[in-house]
Amino acid sequence: AQSVTQPDIHITVSEGASLELRCNYSYGATPYLFWYVQSPGQGLQLLLKYFSGDTLVQGIKGFEAEFKRSQSSFNLRKPSVHWSDAAEYFCAVGAEGAQKLVFGQGTRLTINP
Amino acid sequence: NAGVTQTPKFQVLKTGQSMTLQCAQDMNHNSMYWYRQDPGMGLRLIYYSASEGTTDKGEVPNGYNVSRLNKREFSLRLESAAPSQTSVYFCASSGQGAPYGYTFGSGTRLTVV
Protein backbone atom coordinates (compact mmCIF):
# COMPACT_ATOMS: atom_id res chain seq x y z
CA ALA A 1 0.00 0.00 0.00
CA GLN A 2 1.10 3.52 -0.67
CA SER A 3 2.28 5.49 2.33
CA VAL A 4 4.05 8.68 3.26
CA THR A 5 6.03 9.11 6.47
CA GLN A 6 7.06 12.39 8.00
CA PRO A 7 9.21 11.23 10.90
CA ASP A 8 9.21 14.55 12.75
CA ILE A 9 5.90 15.57 14.29
CA HIS A 10 7.25 18.86 15.64
CA ILE A 11 10.44 20.79 14.87
CA THR A 12 11.67 24.00 16.48
CA VAL A 13 14.35 26.13 14.85
CA SER A 14 15.67 29.62 15.47
CA GLU A 15 14.91 32.41 13.08
CA GLY A 16 17.67 32.62 10.48
CA ALA A 17 18.68 28.98 10.91
CA SER A 18 18.50 26.43 8.15
CA LEU A 19 15.66 23.95 7.94
CA GLU A 20 15.17 20.43 6.64
CA LEU A 21 11.88 18.57 6.91
CA ARG A 22 11.95 14.89 6.12
CA CYS A 23 9.57 12.91 3.95
CA ASN A 24 9.82 9.24 3.01
CA TYR A 25 7.37 7.47 0.74
CA SER A 26 6.46 3.96 -0.23
CA TYR A 27 4.91 3.79 -3.66
CA GLY A 28 4.95 1.14 -6.33
CA ALA A 29 4.89 3.46 -9.32
CA THR A 30 7.00 6.45 -10.27
CA PRO A 31 5.90 9.00 -7.70
CA TYR A 32 4.64 12.51 -8.14
CA LEU A 33 5.64 14.38 -4.98
CA PHE A 34 4.33 17.48 -3.28
CA TRP A 35 4.90 19.70 -0.29
CA TYR A 36 2.01 21.76 1.08
CA VAL A 37 2.05 24.35 3.86
CA GLN A 38 -0.80 25.17 6.20
CA SER A 39 -0.63 28.39 8.17
CA PRO A 40 -2.70 28.53 11.37
CA GLY A 41 -6.42 28.60 10.61
CA GLN A 42 -5.83 28.40 6.88
CA GLY A 43 -6.16 25.87 4.10
CA LEU A 44 -3.24 24.08 2.47
CA GLN A 45 -1.11 25.91 -0.07
CA LEU A 46 1.17 24.19 -2.57
CA LEU A 47 4.86 24.93 -1.94
CA LEU A 48 6.39 22.83 -4.69
CA LYS A 49 6.01 19.66 -6.69
CA TYR A 50 8.12 17.08 -8.50
CA PHE A 51 6.95 15.08 -11.48
CA SER A 52 10.13 14.31 -13.40
CA GLY A 53 13.40 15.81 -14.55
CA ASP A 54 15.77 17.74 -12.31
CA THR A 55 15.60 16.16 -8.88
CA LEU A 56 16.10 19.49 -7.11
CA VAL A 57 12.95 21.57 -7.35
CA GLN A 58 12.40 25.15 -6.32
CA GLY A 59 9.20 26.36 -4.79
CA ILE A 60 7.60 29.46 -3.39
CA LYS A 61 8.80 31.36 -0.30
CA GLY A 62 12.42 30.27 -0.82
CA PHE A 63 11.81 26.56 -0.27
CA GLU A 64 13.39 23.73 -2.24
CA ALA A 65 13.16 19.95 -2.15
CA GLU A 66 15.29 17.14 -3.46
CA PHE A 67 13.97 13.85 -4.80
CA LYS A 68 16.22 10.90 -3.98
CA ARG A 69 14.85 7.75 -5.56
CA SER A 70 17.44 5.48 -3.88
CA GLN A 71 16.32 6.69 -0.47
CA SER A 72 12.61 7.08 -1.32
CA SER A 73 12.83 10.56 0.08
CA PHE A 74 11.68 14.06 -0.81
CA ASN A 75 13.05 16.35 1.90
CA LEU A 76 12.11 20.01 2.09
CA ARG A 77 14.80 22.61 2.80
CA LYS A 78 15.18 26.32 3.38
CA PRO A 79 18.54 28.03 3.98
CA SER A 80 17.25 30.63 6.44
CA VAL A 81 13.82 30.52 8.06
CA HIS A 82 11.66 33.51 8.89
CA TRP A 83 9.14 33.82 11.69
CA SER A 84 6.39 33.70 9.06
CA ASP A 85 7.42 30.14 8.14
CA ALA A 86 5.85 28.84 11.34
CA ALA A 87 3.17 26.47 10.05
CA GLU A 88 2.37 22.84 9.46
CA TYR A 89 3.96 21.15 6.47
CA PHE A 90 2.55 18.17 4.63
CA CYS A 91 4.26 15.87 2.17
CA ALA A 92 2.05 14.07 -0.36
CA VAL A 93 2.54 11.51 -3.11
CA GLY A 94 0.57 10.46 -6.18
CA ALA A 95 1.21 8.66 -9.42
CA GLU A 96 -0.05 8.61 -12.97
CA GLY A 97 -3.49 7.05 -12.99
CA ALA A 98 -3.97 7.32 -9.23
CA GLN A 99 -7.33 8.64 -8.10
CA LYS A 100 -6.04 10.51 -5.07
CA LEU A 101 -3.00 11.79 -3.24
CA VAL A 102 -1.65 10.16 -0.10
CA PHE A 103 -0.60 12.60 2.63
CA GLY A 104 1.88 12.32 5.47
CA GLN A 105 0.82 13.17 9.01
CA GLY A 106 2.43 16.58 8.89
CA THR A 107 5.31 18.34 10.64
CA ARG A 108 4.59 21.36 12.78
CA LEU A 109 7.32 23.98 12.57
CA THR A 110 7.89 26.46 15.39
CA ILE A 111 10.30 29.38 14.97
CA ASN A 112 12.15 30.78 17.96
CA PRO A 113 12.92 34.49 17.79
CA ASN B 1 -10.65 35.13 -7.05
CA ALA B 2 -10.66 31.68 -8.62
CA GLY B 3 -10.48 28.84 -6.19
CA VAL B 4 -12.34 26.50 -3.88
CA THR B 5 -15.00 27.99 -1.62
CA GLN B 6 -16.27 26.20 1.46
CA THR B 7 -19.26 27.17 3.58
CA PRO B 8 -19.73 27.56 6.44
CA LYS B 9 -16.35 28.35 8.00
CA PHE B 10 -17.47 27.42 11.51
CA GLN B 11 -20.35 25.33 12.83
CA VAL B 12 -21.45 23.94 16.17
CA LEU B 13 -23.90 21.04 16.13
CA LYS B 14 -25.61 19.05 18.80
CA THR B 15 -25.27 15.27 18.74
CA GLY B 16 -27.83 13.82 16.35
CA GLN B 17 -28.30 16.95 14.28
CA SER B 18 -27.69 16.91 10.56
CA MET B 19 -25.94 19.37 8.31
CA THR B 20 -24.42 19.76 4.88
CA LEU B 21 -21.01 21.24 4.18
CA GLN B 22 -20.87 23.01 0.85
CA CYS B 23 -17.96 23.17 -1.55
CA ALA B 24 -17.75 24.91 -4.91
CA GLN B 25 -14.87 25.43 -7.31
CA ASP B 26 -14.73 27.78 -10.28
CA MET B 27 -11.67 26.34 -12.02
CA ASN B 28 -13.55 23.82 -14.19
CA HIS B 29 -11.84 20.98 -12.34
CA ASN B 30 -13.03 17.44 -12.88
CA SER B 31 -12.09 15.88 -9.54
CA MET B 32 -13.15 16.93 -6.06
CA TYR B 33 -12.33 15.60 -2.59
CA TRP B 34 -13.39 15.84 1.03
CA TYR B 35 -10.79 15.40 3.80
CA ARG B 36 -10.90 15.69 7.54
CA GLN B 37 -7.97 16.89 9.61
CA ASP B 38 -7.50 15.83 13.20
CA PRO B 39 -4.52 16.46 15.50
CA GLY B 40 -1.84 13.84 14.98
CA MET B 41 -3.81 12.14 12.20
CA GLY B 42 -2.92 14.30 9.24
CA LEU B 43 -5.43 14.47 6.40
CA ARG B 44 -7.80 11.55 5.92
CA LEU B 45 -9.88 11.17 2.81
CA ILE B 46 -13.62 10.84 3.39
CA TYR B 47 -15.03 10.73 -0.14
CA TYR B 48 -13.98 11.82 -3.57
CA SER B 49 -15.46 12.39 -6.98
CA ALA B 50 -13.13 11.68 -9.87
CA SER B 51 -15.56 13.22 -12.34
CA GLU B 52 -19.06 14.61 -12.49
CA GLY B 53 -21.56 11.86 -11.79
CA THR B 54 -19.21 9.59 -9.83
CA THR B 55 -18.38 9.35 -6.15
CA ASP B 56 -16.20 6.90 -4.21
CA LYS B 57 -15.39 6.17 -0.61
CA GLY B 58 -12.10 7.14 0.91
CA GLU B 59 -10.47 5.97 4.14
CA VAL B 60 -13.10 7.19 6.61
CA PRO B 61 -16.55 7.33 4.92
CA ASN B 62 -18.70 6.06 7.79
CA GLY B 63 -21.23 8.62 8.99
CA TYR B 64 -20.98 10.75 5.86
CA ASN B 65 -22.68 11.04 2.49
CA VAL B 66 -21.72 13.12 -0.52
CA SER B 67 -23.37 14.58 -3.58
CA ARG B 68 -21.64 15.77 -6.72
CA LEU B 69 -24.37 18.21 -7.66
CA ASN B 70 -22.70 19.35 -10.86
CA LYS B 71 -19.14 19.89 -12.04
CA ARG B 72 -18.67 22.86 -9.69
CA GLU B 73 -20.23 21.61 -6.47
CA PHE B 74 -19.48 18.73 -4.13
CA SER B 75 -21.32 18.62 -0.80
CA LEU B 76 -20.68 16.55 2.33
CA ARG B 77 -23.60 15.58 4.57
CA LEU B 78 -23.60 14.44 8.16
CA GLU B 79 -26.96 12.74 8.74
CA SER B 80 -26.66 12.32 12.51
CA ALA B 81 -23.66 14.13 13.90
CA ALA B 82 -21.50 12.50 16.57
CA PRO B 83 -18.78 14.02 18.78
CA SER B 84 -16.23 11.89 16.89
CA GLN B 85 -16.99 13.99 13.82
CA THR B 86 -15.60 17.10 15.48
CA SER B 87 -12.87 18.06 13.06
CA VAL B 88 -11.69 20.50 10.43
CA TYR B 89 -13.03 19.58 7.01
CA PHE B 90 -11.27 20.49 3.79
CA CYS B 91 -12.56 20.34 0.28
CA ALA B 92 -10.08 20.13 -2.60
CA SER B 93 -10.22 19.95 -6.37
CA SER B 94 -7.92 18.83 -9.15
CA GLY B 95 -8.03 19.75 -12.79
CA GLN B 96 -5.71 17.25 -14.40
CA GLY B 97 -6.30 14.48 -11.90
CA ALA B 98 -5.01 13.75 -8.44
CA PRO B 99 -1.42 13.02 -9.46
CA TYR B 100 -1.00 16.64 -10.51
CA GLY B 101 -1.99 18.10 -7.16
CA TYR B 102 -4.92 19.72 -5.44
CA THR B 103 -6.26 23.19 -4.77
CA PHE B 104 -7.70 23.37 -1.26
CA GLY B 105 -10.49 25.38 0.28
CA SER B 106 -9.95 27.23 3.54
CA GLY B 107 -11.77 24.66 5.64
CA THR B 108 -14.82 24.25 7.87
CA ARG B 109 -14.26 23.88 11.59
CA LEU B 110 -17.04 21.67 12.96
CA THR B 111 -17.71 21.03 16.63
CA VAL B 112 -20.26 18.43 17.72
CA VAL B 113 -21.34 18.72 21.34
Side-chain angles (χ1 to χ4, degrees), chain A residues 59-87:
Chain A
I60 62 172
K61 304 185 181 188
F63 285 91
E64 67 178 26
E66 186 171 12
F67 171 54
K68 293 186 177 180
R69 185 185 298 275
S70 61
Q71 298 177 19
S72 298
S73 70
F74 188 57
N75 293 350
L76 182 71
R77 300 194 295 248
K78 187 169 185 178
S80 176
V81 298
H82 187 263
W83 63 266
S84 60
D85 293 325

PDB file of all heavy atoms in Angstrom, chain A residues 59-87:
ATOM      1  N   GLY A  59      10.579  26.018  -5.023  1.00  0.00           N
ATOM      2  CA  GLY A  59       9.202  26.364  -4.787  1.00  0.00           C
ATOM      3  C   GLY A  59       9.041  27.811  -4.386  1.00  0.00           C
ATOM      4  O   GLY A  59       9.954  28.619  -4.532  1.00  0.00           O
ATOM      5  N   ILE A  60       7.875  28.113  -3.840  1.00  0.00           N
ATOM      6  CA  ILE A  60       7.605  29.463  -3.393  1.00  0.00           C
ATOM      7  C   ILE A  60       8.220  29.700  -2.020  1.00  0.00           C
ATOM      8  O   ILE A  60       8.617  28.743  -1.334  1.00  0.00           O
ATOM      9  CB  ILE A  60       6.099  29.744  -3.352  1.00  0.00           C
ATOM     10  CG1 ILE A  60       5.396  28.819  -2.357  1.00  0.00           C
ATOM     11  CG2 ILE A  60       5.484  29.609  -4.741  1.00  0.00           C
ATOM     12  CD1 ILE A  60       3.948  29.167  -2.115  1.00  0.00           C
ATOM     13  N   LYS A  61       8.336  30.944  -1.636  1.00  0.00           N
ATOM     14  CA  LYS A  61       8.795  31.359  -0.304  1.00  0.00           C
ATOM     15  C   LYS A  61      10.212  30.897  -0.003  1.00  0.00           C
ATOM     16  O   LYS A  61      10.589  30.764   1.164  1.00  0.00           O
ATOM     17  CB  LYS A  61       7.843  30.841   0.778  1.00  0.00           C
ATOM     18  CG  LYS A  61       6.398  31.254   0.585  1.00  0.00           C
ATOM     19  CD  LYS A  61       5.524  30.827   1.747  1.00  0.00           C
ATOM     20  CE  LYS A  61       4.089  31.238   1.503  1.00  0.00           C
ATOM     21  NZ  LYS A  61       3.229  31.006   2.674  1.00  0.00           N
ATOM     22  N   GLY A  62      11.025  30.637  -1.035  1.00  0.00           N
ATOM     23  CA  GLY A  62      12.421  30.273  -0.824  1.00  0.00           C
ATOM     24  C   GLY A  62      12.670  28.817  -0.469  1.00  0.00           C
ATOM     25  O   GLY A  62      13.782  28.447  -0.088  1.00  0.00           O
ATOM     26  N   PHE A  63      11.663  27.979  -0.568  1.00  0.00           N
ATOM     27  CA  PHE A  63      11.814  26.555  -0.271  1.00  0.00           C
ATOM     28  C   PHE A  63      12.305  25.773  -1.486  1.00  0.00           C
ATOM     29  O   PHE A  63      12.031  26.147  -2.622  1.00  0.00           O
ATOM     30  CB  PHE A  63      10.487  25.955   0.203  1.00  0.00           C
ATOM     31  CG  PHE A  63      10.116  26.336   1.596  1.00  0.00           C
ATOM     32  CD1 PHE A  63       9.338  27.458   1.846  1.00  0.00           C
ATOM     33  CD2 PHE A  63      10.539  25.568   2.674  1.00  0.00           C
ATOM     34  CE1 PHE A  63       9.002  27.823   3.135  1.00  0.00           C
ATOM     35  CE2 PHE A  63      10.204  25.916   3.972  1.00  0.00           C
ATOM     36  CZ  PHE A  63       9.431  27.050   4.195  1.00  0.00           C
ATOM     37  N   GLU A  64      12.994  24.679  -1.218  1.00  0.00           N
ATOM     38  CA  GLU A  64      13.387  23.729  -2.243  1.00  0.00           C
ATOM     39  C   GLU A  64      13.273  22.321  -1.689  1.00  0.00           C
ATOM     40  O   GLU A  64      13.205  22.123  -0.467  1.00  0.00           O
ATOM     41  CB  GLU A  64      14.825  23.978  -2.722  1.00  0.00           C
ATOM     42  CG  GLU A  64      15.879  23.710  -1.675  1.00  0.00           C
ATOM     43  CD  GLU A  64      17.295  23.922  -2.207  1.00  0.00           C
ATOM     44  OE1 GLU A  64      17.489  24.710  -3.158  1.00  0.00           O
ATOM     45  OE2 GLU A  64      18.213  23.286  -1.651  1.00  0.00           O
ATOM     46  N   ALA A  65      13.216  21.349  -2.570  1.00  0.00           N
ATOM     47  CA  ALA A  65      13.158  19.948  -2.147  1.00  0.00           C
ATOM     48  C   ALA A  65      13.944  19.111  -3.130  1.00  0.00           C
ATOM     49  O   ALA A  65      14.039  19.437  -4.316  1.00  0.00           O
ATOM     50  CB  ALA A  65      11.709  19.462  -2.073  1.00  0.00           C
ATOM     51  N   GLU A  66      14.490  18.027  -2.626  1.00  0.00           N
ATOM     52  CA  GLU A  66      15.291  17.137  -3.460  1.00  0.00           C
ATOM     53  C   GLU A  66      14.710  15.739  -3.455  1.00  0.00           C
ATOM     54  O   GLU A  66      14.494  15.156  -2.388  1.00  0.00           O
ATOM     55  CB  GLU A  66      16.737  17.096  -2.978  1.00  0.00           C
ATOM     56  CG  GLU A  66      17.647  16.292  -3.909  1.00  0.00           C
ATOM     57  CD  GLU A  66      19.113  16.417  -3.565  1.00  0.00           C
ATOM     58  OE1 GLU A  66      19.436  16.936  -2.475  1.00  0.00           O
ATOM     59  OE2 GLU A  66      19.948  16.002  -4.401  1.00  0.00           O
ATOM     60  N   PHE A  67      14.466  15.201  -4.627  1.00  0.00           N
ATOM     61  CA  PHE A  67      13.972  13.846  -4.797  1.00  0.00           C
ATOM     62  C   PHE A  67      15.167  12.899  -4.866  1.00  0.00           C
ATOM     63  O   PHE A  67      16.050  13.065  -5.714  1.00  0.00           O
ATOM     64  CB  PHE A  67      13.147  13.748  -6.074  1.00  0.00           C
ATOM     65  CG  PHE A  67      12.763  12.348  -6.482  1.00  0.00           C
ATOM     66  CD1 PHE A  67      12.105  11.522  -5.597  1.00  0.00           C
ATOM     67  CD2 PHE A  67      13.073  11.857  -7.748  1.00  0.00           C
ATOM     68  CE1 PHE A  67      11.738  10.235  -5.965  1.00  0.00           C
ATOM     69  CE2 PHE A  67      12.705  10.575  -8.124  1.00  0.00           C
ATOM     70  CZ  PHE A  67      12.039   9.761  -7.218  1.00  0.00           C
ATOM     71  N   LYS A  68      15.179  11.927  -3.972  1.00  0.00           N
ATOM     72  CA  LYS A  68      16.225  10.904  -3.978  1.00  0.00           C
ATOM     73  C   LYS A  68      15.542   9.547  -4.096  1.00  0.00           C
ATOM     74  O   LYS A  68      15.047   8.989  -3.106  1.00  0.00           O
ATOM     75  CB  LYS A  68      17.075  10.984  -2.718  1.00  0.00           C
ATOM     76  CG  LYS A  68      17.907  12.262  -2.626  1.00  0.00           C
ATOM     77  CD  LYS A  68      18.838  12.231  -1.423  1.00  0.00           C
ATOM     78  CE  LYS A  68      19.713  13.486  -1.387  1.00  0.00           C
ATOM     79  NZ  LYS A  68      20.637  13.492  -0.223  1.00  0.00           N
ATOM     80  N   ARG A  69      15.556   9.013  -5.305  1.00  0.00           N
ATOM     81  CA  ARG A  69      14.855   7.753  -5.556  1.00  0.00           C
ATOM     82  C   ARG A  69      15.446   6.619  -4.737  1.00  0.00           C
ATOM     83  O   ARG A  69      14.711   5.793  -4.192  1.00  0.00           O
ATOM     84  CB  ARG A  69      14.919   7.401  -7.041  1.00  0.00           C
ATOM     85  CG  ARG A  69      14.123   6.167  -7.415  1.00  0.00           C
ATOM     86  CD  ARG A  69      14.322   5.810  -8.878  1.00  0.00           C
ATOM     87  NE  ARG A  69      13.859   6.861  -9.768  1.00  0.00           N
ATOM     88  CZ  ARG A  69      12.607   6.993 -10.168  1.00  0.00           C
ATOM     89  NH1 ARG A  69      11.682   6.140  -9.753  1.00  0.00           N
ATOM     90  NH2 ARG A  69      12.276   7.953 -10.997  1.00  0.00           N
ATOM     91  N   SER A  70      16.773   6.596  -4.593  1.00  0.00           N
ATOM     92  CA  SER A  70      17.437   5.483  -3.882  1.00  0.00           C
ATOM     93  C   SER A  70      17.044   5.463  -2.411  1.00  0.00           C
ATOM     94  O   SER A  70      17.083   4.407  -1.775  1.00  0.00           O
ATOM     95  CB  SER A  70      18.952   5.605  -4.025  1.00  0.00           C
ATOM     96  OG  SER A  70      19.406   6.813  -3.454  1.00  0.00           O
ATOM     97  N   GLN A  71      16.689   6.599  -1.886  1.00  0.00           N
ATOM     98  CA  GLN A  71      16.316   6.685  -0.474  1.00  0.00           C
ATOM     99  C   GLN A  71      14.810   6.837  -0.285  1.00  0.00           C
ATOM    100  O   GLN A  71      14.348   6.956   0.849  1.00  0.00           O
ATOM    101  CB  GLN A  71      17.031   7.880   0.184  1.00  0.00           C
ATOM    102  CG  GLN A  71      18.551   7.753   0.164  1.00  0.00           C
ATOM    103  CD  GLN A  71      19.248   8.968   0.762  1.00  0.00           C
ATOM    104  OE1 GLN A  71      18.656   9.738   1.492  1.00  0.00           O
ATOM    105  NE2 GLN A  71      20.522   9.134   0.444  1.00  0.00           N
ATOM    106  N   SER A  72      14.064   6.855  -1.374  1.00  0.00           N
ATOM    107  CA  SER A  72      12.609   7.076  -1.318  1.00  0.00           C
ATOM    108  C   SER A  72      12.292   8.296  -0.463  1.00  0.00           C
ATOM    109  O   SER A  72      11.426   8.254   0.420  1.00  0.00           O
ATOM    110  CB  SER A  72      11.888   5.838  -0.762  1.00  0.00           C
ATOM    111  OG  SER A  72      12.088   4.733  -1.593  1.00  0.00           O
ATOM    112  N   SER A  73      13.021   9.370  -0.735  1.00  0.00           N
ATOM    113  CA  SER A  73      12.828  10.563   0.085  1.00  0.00           C
ATOM    114  C   SER A  73      12.590  11.796  -0.772  1.00  0.00           C
ATOM    115  O   SER A  73      12.965  11.848  -1.947  1.00  0.00           O
ATOM    116  CB  SER A  73      14.045  10.787   0.983  1.00  0.00           C
ATOM    117  OG  SER A  73      15.166  11.179   0.219  1.00  0.00           O
ATOM    118  N   PHE A  74      11.965  12.777  -0.156  1.00  0.00           N
ATOM    119  CA  PHE A  74      11.684  14.055  -0.814  1.00  0.00           C
ATOM    120  C   PHE A  74      11.698  15.099   0.298  1.00  0.00           C
ATOM    121  O   PHE A  74      10.682  15.596   0.755  1.00  0.00           O
ATOM    122  CB  PHE A  74      10.334  14.000  -1.513  1.00  0.00           C
ATOM    123  CG  PHE A  74      10.016  15.197  -2.382  1.00  0.00           C
ATOM    124  CD1 PHE A  74      10.869  15.566  -3.413  1.00  0.00           C
ATOM    125  CD2 PHE A  74       8.847  15.920  -2.195  1.00  0.00           C
ATOM    126  CE1 PHE A  74      10.570  16.645  -4.244  1.00  0.00           C
ATOM    127  CE2 PHE A  74       8.537  17.008  -3.011  1.00  0.00           C
ATOM    128  CZ  PHE A  74       9.399  17.362  -4.034  1.00  0.00           C
ATOM    129  N   ASN A  75      12.893  15.457   0.750  1.00  0.00           N
ATOM    130  CA  ASN A  75      13.047  16.352   1.896  1.00  0.00           C
ATOM    131  C   ASN A  75      12.951  17.813   1.479  1.00  0.00           C
ATOM    132  O   ASN A  75      13.471  18.217   0.436  1.00  0.00           O
ATOM    133  CB  ASN A  75      14.374  16.094   2.586  1.00  0.00           C
ATOM    134  CG  ASN A  75      14.419  14.720   3.243  1.00  0.00           C
ATOM    135  OD1 ASN A  75      13.411  14.023   3.343  1.00  0.00           O
ATOM    136  ND2 ASN A  75      15.611  14.320   3.657  1.00  0.00           N
ATOM    137  N   LEU A  76      12.337  18.582   2.327  1.00  0.00           N
ATOM    138  CA  LEU A  76      12.115  20.010   2.093  1.00  0.00           C
ATOM    139  C   LEU A  76      13.184  20.806   2.835  1.00  0.00           C
ATOM    140  O   LEU A  76      13.470  20.513   4.005  1.00  0.00           O
ATOM    141  CB  LEU A  76      10.726  20.403   2.606  1.00  0.00           C
ATOM    142  CG  LEU A  76      10.289  21.854   2.406  1.00  0.00           C
ATOM    143  CD1 LEU A  76      10.016  22.130   0.921  1.00  0.00           C
ATOM    144  CD2 LEU A  76       9.043  22.150   3.239  1.00  0.00           C
ATOM    145  N   ARG A  77      13.725  21.833   2.181  1.00  0.00           N
ATOM    146  CA  ARG A  77      14.795  22.614   2.802  1.00  0.00           C
ATOM    147  C   ARG A  77      14.569  24.106   2.591  1.00  0.00           C
ATOM    148  O   ARG A  77      13.921  24.534   1.623  1.00  0.00           O
ATOM    149  CB  ARG A  77      16.153  22.230   2.200  1.00  0.00           C
ATOM    150  CG  ARG A  77      16.519  20.771   2.371  1.00  0.00           C
ATOM    151  CD  ARG A  77      17.972  20.536   2.063  1.00  0.00           C
ATOM    152  NE  ARG A  77      18.300  20.792   0.660  1.00  0.00           N
ATOM    153  CZ  ARG A  77      18.660  19.853  -0.202  1.00  0.00           C
ATOM    154  NH1 ARG A  77      18.701  18.593   0.181  1.00  0.00           N
ATOM    155  NH2 ARG A  77      18.977  20.166  -1.439  1.00  0.00           N
ATOM    156  N   LYS A  78      15.139  24.863   3.530  1.00  0.00           N
ATOM    157  CA  LYS A  78      15.184  26.321   3.378  1.00  0.00           C
ATOM    158  C   LYS A  78      16.448  26.787   4.077  1.00  0.00           C
ATOM    159  O   LYS A  78      16.718  26.396   5.214  1.00  0.00           O
ATOM    160  CB  LYS A  78      13.947  26.985   3.981  1.00  0.00           C
ATOM    161  CG  LYS A  78      13.886  28.481   3.692  1.00  0.00           C
ATOM    162  CD  LYS A  78      12.551  29.080   4.065  1.00  0.00           C
ATOM    163  CE  LYS A  78      12.501  30.544   3.642  1.00  0.00           C
ATOM    164  NZ  LYS A  78      11.201  31.182   3.935  1.00  0.00           N
ATOM    165  N   PRO A  79      17.244  27.629   3.418  1.00  0.00           N
ATOM    166  CA  PRO A  79      18.539  28.030   3.982  1.00  0.00           C
ATOM    167  C   PRO A  79      18.421  28.876   5.248  1.00  0.00           C
ATOM    168  O   PRO A  79      19.254  28.778   6.141  1.00  0.00           O
ATOM    169  CB  PRO A  79      19.187  28.843   2.863  1.00  0.00           C
ATOM    170  CG  PRO A  79      18.424  28.526   1.638  1.00  0.00           C
ATOM    171  CD  PRO A  79      17.049  28.160   2.052  1.00  0.00           C
ATOM    172  N   SER A  80      17.386  29.716   5.315  1.00  0.00           N
ATOM    173  CA  SER A  80      17.247  30.631   6.437  1.00  0.00           C
ATOM    174  C   SER A  80      15.761  30.885   6.682  1.00  0.00           C
ATOM    175  O   SER A  80      15.086  31.505   5.864  1.00  0.00           O
ATOM    176  CB  SER A  80      17.980  31.956   6.131  1.00  0.00           C
ATOM    177  OG  SER A  80      17.783  32.894   7.161  1.00  0.00           O
ATOM    178  N   VAL A  81      15.267  30.403   7.819  1.00  0.00           N
ATOM    179  CA  VAL A  81      13.822  30.517   8.063  1.00  0.00           C
ATOM    180  C   VAL A  81      13.468  31.879   8.643  1.00  0.00           C
ATOM    181  O   VAL A  81      14.279  32.534   9.320  1.00  0.00           O
ATOM    182  CB  VAL A  81      13.309  29.404   9.002  1.00  0.00           C
ATOM    183  CG1 VAL A  81      13.528  28.042   8.361  1.00  0.00           C
ATOM    184  CG2 VAL A  81      13.954  29.482  10.365  1.00  0.00           C
ATOM    185  N   HIS A  82      12.234  32.255   8.398  1.00  0.00           N
ATOM    186  CA  HIS A  82      11.658  33.509   8.886  1.00  0.00           C
ATOM    187  C   HIS A  82      10.532  33.164   9.833  1.00  0.00           C
ATOM    188  O   HIS A  82       9.927  32.084   9.747  1.00  0.00           O
ATOM    189  CB  HIS A  82      11.166  34.315   7.674  1.00  0.00           C
ATOM    190  CG  HIS A  82      10.688  35.689   7.983  1.00  0.00           C
ATOM    191  ND1 HIS A  82       9.353  35.982   8.155  1.00  0.00           N
ATOM    192  CD2 HIS A  82      11.356  36.846   8.158  1.00  0.00           C
ATOM    193  CE1 HIS A  82       9.206  37.261   8.409  1.00  0.00           C
ATOM    194  NE2 HIS A  82      10.414  37.818   8.424  1.00  0.00           N
ATOM    195  N   TRP A  83      10.206  34.099  10.724  1.00  0.00           N
ATOM    196  CA  TRP A  83       9.135  33.819  11.690  1.00  0.00           C
ATOM    197  C   TRP A  83       7.833  33.447  10.974  1.00  0.00           C
ATOM    198  O   TRP A  83       7.031  32.649  11.485  1.00  0.00           O
ATOM    199  CB  TRP A  83       8.896  35.022  12.613  1.00  0.00           C
ATOM    200  CG  TRP A  83       8.421  36.255  11.913  1.00  0.00           C
ATOM    201  CD1 TRP A  83       9.173  37.287  11.446  1.00  0.00           C
ATOM    202  CD2 TRP A  83       7.061  36.582  11.564  1.00  0.00           C
ATOM    203  NE1 TRP A  83       8.380  38.221  10.839  1.00  0.00           N
ATOM    204  CE2 TRP A  83       7.086  37.825  10.897  1.00  0.00           C
ATOM    205  CE3 TRP A  83       5.823  35.940  11.764  1.00  0.00           C
ATOM    206  CZ2 TRP A  83       5.929  38.432  10.427  1.00  0.00           C
ATOM    207  CZ3 TRP A  83       4.669  36.549  11.298  1.00  0.00           C
ATOM    208  CH2 TRP A  83       4.731  37.785  10.627  1.00  0.00           C
ATOM    209  N   SER A  84       7.625  33.972   9.787  1.00  0.00           N
ATOM    210  CA  SER A  84       6.386  33.703   9.061  1.00  0.00           C
ATOM    211  C   SER A  84       6.329  32.282   8.498  1.00  0.00           C
ATOM    212  O   SER A  84       5.292  31.861   7.977  1.00  0.00           O
ATOM    213  CB  SER A  84       6.216  34.703   7.916  1.00  0.00           C
ATOM    214  OG  SER A  84       7.304  34.614   7.011  1.00  0.00           O
ATOM    215  N   ASP A  85       7.438  31.532   8.607  1.00  0.00           N
ATOM    216  CA  ASP A  85       7.425  30.135   8.138  1.00  0.00           C
ATOM    217  C   ASP A  85       6.811  29.194   9.155  1.00  0.00           C
ATOM    218  O   ASP A  85       6.622  27.999   8.861  1.00  0.00           O
ATOM    219  CB  ASP A  85       8.858  29.679   7.829  1.00  0.00           C
ATOM    220  CG  ASP A  85       9.453  30.412   6.638  1.00  0.00           C
ATOM    221  OD1 ASP A  85       8.709  30.717   5.687  1.00  0.00           O
ATOM    222  OD2 ASP A  85      10.672  30.678   6.675  1.00  0.00           O
ATOM    223  N   ALA A  86       6.505  29.685  10.341  1.00  0.00           N
ATOM    224  CA  ALA A  86       5.846  28.840  11.344  1.00  0.00           C
ATOM    225  C   ALA A  86       4.508  28.366  10.802  1.00  0.00           C
ATOM    226  O   ALA A  86       3.641  29.181  10.449  1.00  0.00           O
ATOM    227  CB  ALA A  86       5.654  29.619  12.632  1.00  0.00           C
ATOM    228  N   ALA A  87       4.352  27.052  10.701  1.00  0.00           N
ATOM    229  CA  ALA A  87       3.169  26.474  10.053  1.00  0.00           C
ATOM    230  C   ALA A  87       3.264  24.966  10.173  1.00  0.00           C
ATOM    231  O   ALA A  87       4.191  24.423  10.775  1.00  0.00           O
ATOM    232  CB  ALA A  87       3.121  26.876   8.576  1.00  0.00           C
TER     233      ALA A  87
END
